[in-house]
Amino acid sequence: MDAVTIIEKVREGREPTQSELNWFAGGLASNKVTDAQAGAFAMAVLLKGLSEEGRVALTLAMRDSGDVLNWSLGKPVVDKHSTGGLGDCVSLLLAPMLAAAGVPVPMISGRGLGHTGGTLDKLEAIPGVRTDVTEARFRTMMDEIGCAIVSAGRNMAPADRRLYAVRDVTATVPSIDLITASILSKKLAAGLDALVLDVKCGSGAFMETEEDARALAKSLVSTASGAGCKTAALITDMSQPLAPAAGNALEVVEVMEALTDPKNSRLVDITLALGAEVMVLAGYDTAPEVAAVKLRDALTDGSACKVFDAMVAALGGPQGFSEGWRARLPEANVIREIPAPQAGKIAALDGHAIGMGVVHMGGGRLREGDQIDPSVGYSDILPLGAEVAKGTPVARLHAANEKAAQAAERAYLSALTIAEDVTPPPLLIDRVG
Ligand code: URA
């Protein structure tokens, strides 16, 4: 087999076989396939597209380019993947809630990407926590705690790491086929029985329009199901931050408030909906309403909080984190309110701009490998539809110094629209699966 023949096939709209794609993914992982060939392959896929079978075959080939975990826990293991957004700290809440309800969650997560935050960066805002654990530690955590949120080992879906870097510099990121194979190759390498996807749509999302979000959701669901993992997707609104905070430690605050003093909120509602969905997919329950009651019980009876504490301690963080957690989180030097420039209702929040505001404060990376400041970001973000008088706070900023605070205030105000009236979109837009 050779790369040129495989690229030619895709270029002509003929589908490569599974064994050809296995060869190509292996070649990406071993560097037998050159960067030029990887770029040509990505562009051919972007322009010609793959059939549903082709997408499954590429996903499996990329999954199998490295280690694939296998669990023998005696019950189905599940996970959730979000396409990313602002104030989206669902994973930190959902994994312990599911584990407390008896559902194992080996969650391999990512770091911040562009304007969106990453689960690993958020968890590592807790002093001492390191998510790059050995496979042995990962397995012990699954046996003893029932969930673990960790980073991918170097040898998980290595073909994706290579192809992603090439796509980034060859204008081939937006291919739905490649996005699907990229996301799922990594998730399926975790050996899941069921997966629920949170496909976000709106100004803070990877897919801004409902049409694009639906197309990605359909592709992800059919491909993951075709690869043998029971999967469904919820399309959810990201025209405003999910939790009223954006920034690593500030989102941990939202999670800890939900774990220690649960109340109804957009964050809790979406977490319950996603968790119930995956419990039904995996066969733990037959109706999402029943599963949601179990998950809510795990939250209100404090068992999810205990699981979270155990996970934090196992990852190197403090013992009993939920006792006195607020004082243990890093705090920014400058914390102050952002006053409304006029009276009216919060009519739009440009999620991309707010996310980039956090990145520029140091809460995200502009270059791979940048150190991040976990303490910075925005909190107390007023939701769409909230009424404000001129000068009353629309959000609170947390910055490292006065200069960064001034820039962060300008960024927030330029992302904000205040108008006379607004109808906020529903949180849950649709279900695909
Ligand atoms: N996230 C991924 O992991 N891959 C993509 O291609 C896009 C988003």
Side-chain angles (χ1 to χ4, degrees):
M1 267 180 233
D2 65 281
V4 176
T5 310
I6 296 168
I7 296 164
E8 257 171 20
K9 266 194 168 178
V10 183
R11 187 194 69 198
E12 302 305 323
R14 290 180 292 126
E15 206 106 297
T17 62
Q18 181 73 65
S19 56
E20 284 172 324
L21 289 170
N22 290 349
W23 183 92
F24 198 86
L28 284 168
S30 67
N31 282 328
K32 211 181 222 163
V33 169
T34 67
D35 274 357
Q37 289 168 330
F41 176 82
M43 188 57 85
V45 171
L46 181 130
L47 295 175
K48 288 290 176 171
L50 294 175
S51 68
E52 195 170 311
E53 293 75 38
R55 228 185 289 130
V56 172
L58 180 61
T59 302
L60 291 174
M62 285 171 45
R63 178 197 71 180
D64 295 341
S65 66
D67 299 339
V68 179
L69 300 179
N70 205 329
W71 302 98
S72 350
L73 299 172
K75 45 189 177 176
V77 301
V78 311
D79 196 3
K80 182 256 347 172
H81 176 78
S82 160
T83 56
L86 213 64
D88 179 2
C89 40
V90 167
S91 293
L92 296 184
L93 190 56
L94 180 58
M97 280 166 66
L98 282 166
V103 182
V105 190
M107 189 178 272
I108 297 176
S109 292
R111 301 206 175 266
L113 187 70
H115 70 284
T116 66
T119 298
L120 300 180
D121 294 329
K122 293 173 199 181
L123 195 51
E124 289 182 3
I126 299 172
V129 168
R130 291 299 312 255
T131 54
D132 52 343
V133 299
T134 60
E135 189 182 326
R137 181 117 200 99
F138 188 18
R139 287 190 179 278
T140 307
M141 288 178 71
M142 288 304 298
D143 286 338
E144 293 178 356
I145 303 169
C147 73
I149 300 179
V150 301
S151 58
R154 273 308 290 170
N155 202 35
M156 286 195 91
D160 177 61
R161 192 169 310 115
R162 180 94 193 289
L163 192 57
Y164 194 89
V166 170
R167 286 167 59 208
D168 210 19
V169 293
T170 53
T172 51
V173 169
S175 152
I176 287 218
D177 297 315
L178 294 176
I179 294 170
T180 300
S182 170
I183 290 173
L184 292 179
S185 60
K186 289 174 288 204
K187 277 285 157 187
L188 300 187
L192 306 177
D193 296 295
L195 173 67
V196 65
L197 297 153
D198 184 2
V199 179
K200 305 268 180 210
C201 105
S203 69
F206 192 53
M207 294 292 171
E208 293 209 0
T209 68
E210 199 175 313
E211 193 189 347
D212 287 348
R214 200 176 300 280
L216 179 59
K218 282 187 176 158
S219 170
L220 287 164
V221 168
S222 66
T223 307
S225 307
C229 179
K230 294 180 184 124
T231 304
L234 300 183
I235 299 178
T236 67
D237 176 53
M238 190 35 75
S239 57
Q240 60 179 323
L242 179 59
N248 296 295
L250 297 170
E251 290 181 52
V252 174
V253 169
E254 299 298 326
V255 171
M256 292 315 297
E257 282 177 349
L259 284 171
T260 56
D261 182 20
K263 296 192 174 73
N264 279 345
S265 66
R266 290 161 51 83
L267 172 64
V268 169
D269 288 353
I270 211 79
T271 305
L272 287 171
L274 289 161
E277 195 64 55
V278 82
M279 282 177 72
V280 172
L281 281 171
Y284 284 94
D285 279 295
T286 48
E289 298 75 20
V290 179
V293 169
K294 290 183 189 165
L295 289 169
R296 192 181 279 283
D297 286 349
L299 194 59
T300 50
D301 69 11
S303 52
C305 188
K306 283 204 182 93
V307 171
F308 189 82
D309 274 351
M311 180 171 70
V312 164
L315 293 171
Q319 295 285 337
F321 177 65
S322 63
E323 291 293 322
W325 57 270
R326 217 178 272 275
R328 292 165 146 172
L329 286 171
E331 201 171 76
N333 294 330
V334 182
I335 302 175
R336 66 160 184 256
E337 285 160 352
I338 303 176
Q342 68 188 79
K345 285 186 177 168
I346 308 289
L349 289 164
D350 179 343
H352 187 270
I354 295 173
M356 286 316 291
V358 178
V359 172
H360 286 293
M361 276 194 259
R365 296 177 187 79
L366 288 165
R367 261 166 260 92
E368 203 183 333
D370 277 356
Q371 275 291 104
I372 61 169
D373 180 347
S375 68
V376 301
Y378 302 104
S379 69
D380 304 87
I381 296 174
L382 284 191
L384 295 185
E387 205 150 347
V388 286
K390 186 171 181 203
T392 59
V394 289
R396 189 184 287 259
L397 67 80
H398 303 244
N401 53 52
E402 186 50 38
K403 190 167 166 230
Q406 285 173 18
E409 178 163 349
R410 280 195 301 275
Y412 197 88
L413 291 176
S414 68
L416 171 72
T417 307
I418 294 178
E420 270 182 19
D421 214 1
V422 59
T423 312
L427 183 55
L428 198 60
I429 296 167
D430 205 356
R431 178 187 185 278
V432 175

